[in-house]
Amino acid sequence: MRVYFRYAFRETISNLWRNRMMTLAAILTVAVSLSLVGSALLLKQSAAQASVAWQTGTRVTVWMNAAASQGELDAVRTQLADSPLVHKCVFFDQARDYKEFLASLPPSETNVLTVADMPTSFRCEPTIPADAFVVESTFKNQPGVYAVTAPEQQIRQMNHAIRILQVVFLALAGVLLLSATVLILNTIRMAIFARRREVSVMKLVGATNWFIRIPFITEGFIQGLLGSFVAAGVVTALHTWYPLHNEFALNNVALLGTNAVVIGVGVLIGSVGSAIAIRRFLDV
Amino acid sequence: MIRFENVGKTYPNGTPALKDINLDIKKGEFVFLVGASGSGKTTFLRLLLREELPDSGRILEAGRDIGELPKWRVPYLRRNIGCVFQDFRLLPNKSVYENVAFALEVIGRPRSTVESQVPQILELVGLSDKSKNLPSELSGGEQQRVAVARAFVNRPLILLADEPTGNLDPANSESIMALLERINRTGTTVVMATHDKALVDRMRRRVVVLDKGEIIRDQVRGVYGVNEGAAR
Ligand SMILES: Nc1ncnc2c1ncn2[C@@H]1O[C@H](COP(=O)(O)OP(=O)(O)OP(=O)(O)O)[C@@H](O)[C@H]1O
Ligand SMILES: [Mg+2]
């Protein structure tokens, strides 16, 4: 057994080195395609997280003009309280809105704002989430109202955009994964061709089929694995530095899961590529 | 040791290579297989290695029908059969020592076996002093001796040789022949396909003559023959 591992290791490394340009191309293609897969997965998870976060909070915000009079304010307050569409409302005065802005915006933007610049607002929860739009149309033309926003809609638009992005990512990744498999298949084919003499001698002296095959299989396996390691690095970097992901605070478990999928897929295409090459080109 | 029972072989393209072959070769025998080009000698040897399967009849080796062997057992069958070819089939980027050692390494023999067996067999073929040379640095005769060493290093029960002297001059043919005889004296069954009339006539060993896929003569102390098989 020890003899065999030494042999298989030596053969695999020398095969990889002999075809190093092809090997590099295969590894890079695997890396790029799996980076796309990983990003698509991260995107999907953070979108799901974002929807949950927003849906549990306020759904409709009625923003008042900064110059709105107390009468206008009271009128809106009573109407909101009486409306059967609205479950409950909280009034945010200028100080409270200012505090929220400080928390949600970067300092570069908040330091030009003062409490006096802030609008006041009613944060309302509709009785039925789908009624958010009715509330919006009812109140947006009230005197003293600056605007009514329903984040529900933004979520929906964002989810839609993310879904399109995801489909594009996954389609691209699919095409790239396919070409990565073909590239791996081709490097194995070249390795088999380069070693046809050795293979024929091995068959002649009675080496078992697996003994002959395994160095070629590990070769594809290693290419898939190296490519997916690079992709896992890219995904981790994205998770750490790209703001979209941070904003929704995806935890490390999600990152680990994504990387596990990336590496699993890498190993899979490496093995599939070499398995096909061996079936087609290695006659043992 | 080897037994052919009504063996027929036609290649998929329709070429009939062997027809109704019946033959018995005992353990330790030395058999020359002669015949014109295309008479089926190589096919005969390929059947013994199970590189091909017969269409009819059966082939027994050491009492076992090799056609019945499951595919995964075939490598183990081949470990008992050494093989030498006209074109040597050495690995050009490996030294003499490595070429011979390769045959043991790839069947999983431990390093200690390799280290004791390889020098011993190189001694036998008289190439101890060239063990570090590459095949390209050797004469044809020396290369063929390396090939014989590789075929015999695992001490097979049967040694097959397909025109082993085909590319060699008479002196080198002579030394290969002497080597095969020595191997035969250790009890190894040797089957050698050849066109070398002088060699066969001088050795006075069993001669099986093939013609268009059929055995037309089988003599215990035979000669190459004048009429049949003299095509070359
Ligand atoms: N792989 C193959 N496919 C089809 N036909 C083949 C194949 N190998 C050999 N033949 C045919 O089978 C017949 C016997 O061939 P074989 O190689 O056994 O002859 P041989 O006696 O070894 O000849 P030589 O002395 O030239 O080596 C020939 O007619 C040959 O053309
Ligand atoms: Mg032949």
Side-chain angles (χ1 to χ4, degrees):
Chain A
M1 227 38 202
R2 257 187 50 226
V3 179
Y4 181 56
F5 284 130
R6 190 156 5 104
Y7 164 84
F9 182 74
R10 189 158 29 90
E11 289 298 290
T12 307
I13 298 299
S14 85
N15 278 348
L16 286 170
W17 183 247
R18 197 196 323 257
N19 291 326
R20 54 194 175 278
M21 291 313 276
M22 279 299 294
T23 300
L24 194 67
I27 290 174
L28 287 180
T29 316
V30 173
V32 171
S33 46
L34 285 177
S35 301
L36 282 175
V37 171
S39 317
L41 285 176
L42 275 188
L43 209 60
K44 186 186 167 66
Q45 291 172 85
S46 52
Q49 195 125 338
S51 308
V52 170
W54 281 350
Q55 274 169 9
T56 54
T58 310
R59 288 206 179 95
V60 184
T61 308
V62 179
W63 300 96
M64 302 305 293
N65 279 323
S69 69
Q70 190 59 41
E72 287 167 338
L73 237 148
D74 288 339
V76 172
R77 191 200 308 271
T78 352
Q79 276 187 47
L80 278 172
D82 292 346
S83 169
L85 295 174
V86 178
H87 174 56
K88 67 172 191 224
C89 269
V90 180
F91 178 65
F92 275 40
D93 59 15
Q94 287 179 317
R96 197 161 169 195
D97 266 336
Y98 182 66
K99 234 172 73 192
E100 200 198 42
F101 272 87
L102 284 186
S104 61
L105 292 176
S108 57
E109 291 179 34
T110 51
N111 58 24
V112 300
L113 292 169
T114 62
V115 179
D117 296 326
M118 297 314 294
T120 52
S121 60
F122 293 96
R123 309 294 171 101
C124 303
E125 216 175 290
T127 321
I128 307 164
D131 284 344
F133 304 117
V134 187
V135 178
E136 187 186 350
S137 55
T138 318
F139 286 91
K140 77 175 168 218
N141 294 322
Q142 286 279 321
V145 171
Y146 170 67
V148 181
T149 54
E152 180 90 9
Q153 196 181 4
Q154 290 168 16
I155 293 171
R156 206 171 296 164
Q157 279 169 354
M158 204 184 97
N159 274 349
H160 186 62
I162 285 176
R163 212 168 300 135
I164 289 175
L165 210 59
Q166 241 184 316
V167 169
V168 172
F169 270 32
L170 286 179
L172 264 178
V175 171
L176 285 172
L177 281 179
L178 201 67
S179 40
T181 312
V182 172
L183 276 175
I184 289 177
L185 194 155
N186 199 42
T187 52
I188 309 298
R189 189 178 68 100
M190 283 168 63
I192 291 173
F193 184 73
R195 303 182 61 76
R196 62 196 181 285
R197 277 208 189 88
E198 278 86 348
V199 168
S200 78
V201 171
M202 283 193 261
K203 282 196 261 187
L204 201 66
V205 300
T208 58
N209 294 345
W210 283 109
F211 192 100
I212 298 172
R213 283 180 192 142
I214 280 178
F216 295 112
I217 294 178
T218 40
E219 191 185 334
F221 183 87
I222 285 177
Q223 288 176 2
L225 198 66
L226 288 182
S228 61
F229 279 165
V230 174
V234 170
V235 168
T236 307
L238 265 181
H239 174 79
T240 315
W241 291 309
Y242 188 60
L244 181 64
H245 298 293
N246 274 349
E247 205 172 321
F248 310 118
L250 271 187
N251 55 15
N252 287 333
V253 175
L255 179 67
L256 276 180
T258 306
N259 281 343
V261 170
V262 163
I263 290 171
V265 174
V267 164
L268 186 73
I269 63 172
S271 313
V272 167
S274 44
I276 295 173
I278 283 163
R279 281 193 76 104
R280 293 214 23 211
F281 305 112
L282 188 66
D283 180 29
V284 295
Chain B
M1 171 89 338
I2 298 170
R3 189 187 177 98
F4 276 59
E5 291 179 356
N6 310 101
V7 173
K9 173 72 193 173
T10 301
Y11 281 106
N13 64 4
T15 317
L18 290 176
K19 294 171 215 157
D20 196 31
I21 300 289
N22 283 288
L23 193 67
D24 222 328
I25 298 174
K26 296 203 168 42
K27 182 166 170 27
E29 257 193 295
F30 193 118
V31 180
F32 283 117
L33 206 56
V34 304
S37 188
S39 57
K41 304 182 293 295
T42 299
T43 305
F44 184 97
L45 300 179
R46 281 164 57 79
L47 285 171
L48 282 175
L49 281 170
R50 227 190 100 155
E51 281 186 6
E52 296 286 348
L53 281 169
D55 319 311
S56 58
R58 53 184 203 148
I59 300 167
L60 302 167
E61 281 175 46
R64 242 190 324 192
D65 183 349
I66 64 166
E68 307 260 278
L69 280 181
K71 220 173 160 219
W72 67 271
R73 292 288 311 174
V74 172
Y76 299 94
L77 170 79
R78 292 188 186 154
R79 289 178 191 188
N80 284 322
I81 307 176
C83 246
V84 181
F85 301 92
Q86 184 173 2
D87 55 0
F88 320 140
R89 303 203 189 167
L90 299 176
L91 302 174
N93 52 353
K94 287 192 191 298
S95 70
V96 167
Y97 182 96
E98 288 165 345
N99 262 285
V100 178
F102 188 73
L104 291 177
E105 283 164 359
V106 301
I107 57 173
R109 292 286 180 268
R111 182 184 278 205
S112 57
T113 309
V114 176
E115 280 168 358
S116 71
Q117 290 298 305
V118 177
Q120 206 176 320
I121 204 86
L122 287 179
E123 179 75 45
L124 177 78
V125 302
L127 286 173
S128 298
D129 52 334
K130 304 230 161 156
S131 67
K132 288 195 176 63
N133 291 43
L134 291 176
S136 57
E137 297 162 346
L138 302 180
S139 75
E142 288 166 336
Q143 288 184 51
Q144 192 62 298
R145 268 143 63 194
V146 178
V148 172
R150 182 179 66 191
F152 192 58
V153 71
N154 194 34
R155 313 286 160 163
L157 300 171
I158 302 171
L159 189 81
L160 306 179
D162 196 355
E163 303 185 35
T165 62
N167 279 342
L168 304 179
D169 65 17
N172 276 315
S173 301
E174 206 54 51
S175 74
I176 292 298
M177 208 47 231
L179 201 52
L180 293 180
E181 272 212 287
R182 257 181 93 173
I183 286 171
N184 177 238
R185 276 201 300 274
T186 66
T188 309
T189 310
V190 179
V191 181
M192 170 170 164
T194 186
H195 285 293
D196 197 329
K197 181 178 191 307
L199 209 78
V200 176
D201 287 348
R202 199 165 32 70
M203 297 292 295
R204 292 283 161 169
R205 295 298 193 120
R206 183 172 175 190
V207 176
V208 173
V209 184
L210 283 172
D211 182 37
K212 299 192 188 78
E214 287 175 293
I215 295 180
I216 55 166
R217 181 154 59 84
D218 183 356
Q219 281 180 305
V220 178
R221 289 178 185 282
V223 290
Y224 195 92
V226 266
N227 304 322
E228 69 285 310
R232 191 158 126 184

